Amino acid sequence: MSRIPLMAGNWKMNLDHLEATATVQRLHWALQDANFDYDKVEVAVLAPFTDLRSIQTITDADNMSIRYGAQDVSVHPDGAYTGEISARMLAKLSCSYVVVGHSERRQYHGETDMEVGEKALAALGGGMVPIICVGEALGIRKAGEHVAYTLAQIDAVFSELGPELAPRAVVAYEPIWAIGTGEVATPADAQEVCGAIRERLAELYGRETAETIRVLYGGSVKSANVAAIMAEPDVDGGLVGGASLDPEEFARICRFGEHVA
Ligand code: 13P
């Protein structure tokens, strides 16, 4: 069963709505110039909340195939939760994706696996696809416990989702030591954990379903290293941070299929 790769740019807390509009436009042009085939690789940007309305407007107006989404969502449907954004609000802006459980939110906002699972459920309930982030810190990797640690995160987050909704999720394996450090995991490192994640998904939901779930790698992905990572059998795309802020570089990453691995 073939999985369509997903290249998703996580802008984090960068780019205001004017910069977002210009960045999406430049990404669109760069891909258009290259006759990019969006049926072969899905492209998405994951933007700050304040950018989403502008991105919706420009992608609609220019009939772009670039998808977009948010970087977080409330577990609550509505109500007295000052500062939070609901899944319904994001769905209304035609978001396709929502990042949940990014290591920066786990670290700075104390998000637990249970909360991450609830956020994934909220996104799915709104008809969007959660990109569920998992991955270990350096100490855990050095202790050789990275696979067990990451699979425990998978078990805990997916236990919040029913068997019907769970297979609609995307998983992103992001080893924390590779995020923003320039230290990219080797393709074999990425495959080891992404493959183990797929095996666990097969145990949970059956082999056929596990073969349809996309597992991304994130952490210092660039045009220079993406092709080798994407050549691994269980890596179905990238969650790209810093390099996605440069639309021409992100377009080169999306065109990984044209590079020599
Ligand atoms: P970098 O690509 O900047 O390492 O960030 C990865 C990341 O955290 C994407 O979510």
Side-chain angles (χ1 to χ4, degrees):
M1 200 163 298
S2 70
R3 301 177 290 271
I4 296 176
L6 169 63
M7 282 299 161
N10 176 10
W11 290 354
K12 309 192 179 184
M13 196 174 72
N14 295 289
L15 307 180
D16 63 34
H17 75 285
L18 299 174
E19 293 163 337
T21 303
T23 302
V24 168
Q25 188 103 61
R26 277 169 55 192
L27 176 61
H28 172 70
W29 286 331
L31 291 171
Q32 194 171 52
D33 285 350
N35 289 320
F36 188 76
D37 185 351
Y38 290 91
D39 291 335
K40 297 223 172 88
V41 180
E42 215 182 314
V43 177
V45 293
L46 306 161
F49 291 131
T50 50
D51 295 357
L52 293 171
R53 176 66 174 151
S54 302
I55 294 173
Q56 180 191 35
T57 303
I58 185 127
T59 52
D60 266 8
D62 290 3
N63 212 4
M64 295 180 186
S65 302
I66 297 168
R67 294 173 195 250
Y68 55 89
Q71 300 169 9
D72 188 27
V73 64
S74 176
V75 299
H76 305 289
D78 49 50
Y81 301 101
T82 301
E84 300 219 6
I85 302 289
S86 73
R88 192 181 66 81
M89 294 169 180
L90 297 175
K92 199 79 181 162
L93 289 166
S94 302
C95 286
S96 300
Y97 293 100
V98 181
V99 179
V100 296
H102 192 279
S103 60
E104 287 148 17
R105 293 214 56 88
R106 292 175 185 263
Q107 183 181 350
Y108 304 131
H109 302 271
E111 285 189 12
T112 62
D113 286 328
M114 193 179 139
E115 200 176 347
V116 174
E118 287 172 1
K119 289 185 173 197
L121 197 55
L124 288 162
M128 295 168 291
V129 173
I131 299 178
I132 299 170
C133 300
V134 292
E136 82 286 353
L138 186 58
I140 294 167
R141 161 130 327 228
K142 282 191 169 154
E145 286 162 10
H146 48 287
V147 173
Y149 179 88
T150 305
L151 293 185
Q153 287 181 316
I154 292 285
D155 287 345
V157 173
F158 275 83
S159 72
E160 298 292 323
L161 312 179
E164 273 174 26
L165 288 176
R168 294 195 209 156
V170 168
V171 177
Y173 169 57
E174 297 206 307
I176 296 169
W177 47 272
I179 294 177
T181 57
E183 180 147 357
V184 65
T186 64
D189 288 339
Q191 169 59 27
E192 179 191 27
V193 184
C194 292
I197 290 171
R198 192 172 318 284
E199 284 308 306
R200 179 55 53 91
L201 293 171
E203 285 164 28
L204 292 171
Y205 305 111
R207 170 71 49 194
E208 205 175 317
T209 299
E211 292 298 327
T212 67
I213 298 176
R214 288 179 294 186
V215 182
L216 316 183
Y217 166 79
S220 298
V221 172
K222 297 184 173 48
S223 60
N225 58 32
V226 65
I229 295 168
M230 288 302 295
E232 295 294 338
D234 287 302
V235 179
D236 306 316
L239 188 53
V240 184
S244 72
L245 298 173
D246 172 348
E248 287 75 29
E249 167 66 357
F250 188 47
R252 283 193 290 276
I253 292 171
C254 296
R255 295 169 60 201
F256 68 88
E258 300 164 38
H259 311 184
V260 179

